[in-house]
Amino acid sequence: MLTGTTASAEDPRPVPVLAAQFASTPRGASLARRSAVRRMGEWGYPPESDTSCAVALVVGELAANAVRHGRVAGHDFRLRLDLDEKRRLVRIEVADAAGKRPPAAPPSSHPDGESGRGLLLVDVLAARWGSAPRDPVGKTVWAEVPADAPPGS
């Protein structure tokens, strides 16, 4: 797993970024979700906080979609998590090697269906979301989740 920091011109303090690669398997998706919850805790959002729970759900859904719909043999998927304290957003990016992009809007789902609700959850929990082509191959699906003030701040 790789991690790093970023800093903006307005605020030179580094903000830790989670950037990691995971196997394109259900276990990899689970590890991505747990890594996101751990990083949220490091940022001051305990696992039981609304913000951490929302991020965990969105990461879980996007990682599961990368495994289920974006899997290309021999390629992992990447997770990037970034906290924008000024805008009070957590940006989540999940990149895979498949070029097929998700629908622009969440699909309608039959209430008795066993799948199809993931992007509905992302749509409800995220302030906005979308996808973009990834260079040289694949796509990145991203979502921005509103971040409440960390408890105790």
Side-chain angles (χ1 to χ4, degrees):
M1 179 174 3
L2 305 171
T3 59
T5 59
T6 61
S8 68
E10 300 87 37
D11 186 1
R13 291 178 303 141
V15 176
V17 171
L18 171 64
Q21 190 167 313
F22 297 93
S24 200
T25 63
R27 177 164 162 59
S30 177
L31 289 172
R33 183 177 181 273
R34 283 190 277 171
S35 295
V37 170
R38 188 175 314 113
R39 181 52 53 99
M40 293 302 296
E42 292 168 2
W43 286 339
Y45 296 93
E48 65 277 2
S49 70
D50 289 344
T51 300
S52 184
C53 287
V55 167
L57 283 169
V58 171
V59 167
E61 292 301 332
L62 296 183
N65 284 348
V67 169
R68 176 178 253 178
H69 305 293
R71 186 168 190 259
V72 173
H75 293 273
D76 297 334
F77 72 90
R78 292 189 54 80
L79 169 67
R80 180 179 169 87
L81 201 68
D82 196 357
L83 174 63
D84 184 336
E85 292 177 291
K86 188 174 184 179
R87 293 177 51 217
R88 293 194 107 120
L89 290 172
V90 177
R91 182 167 174 100
I92 300 158
E93 297 177 359
V94 175
D96 61 51
K100 184 179 179 194
R101 293 171 67 179
S108 60
S109 177
H110 190 277
D112 296 329
E114 292 185 22
S115 65
R117 293 182 188 85
L119 288 179
L120 290 172
L121 281 172
V122 172
D123 193 53
V124 168
L125 295 171
R128 59 189 199 121
W129 67 277
S131 67
R134 187 176 97 170
D135 190 32
V137 297
K139 68 181 170 305
T140 299
V141 181
W142 57 268
E144 293 178 341
V145 174
D148 297 328
S153 63

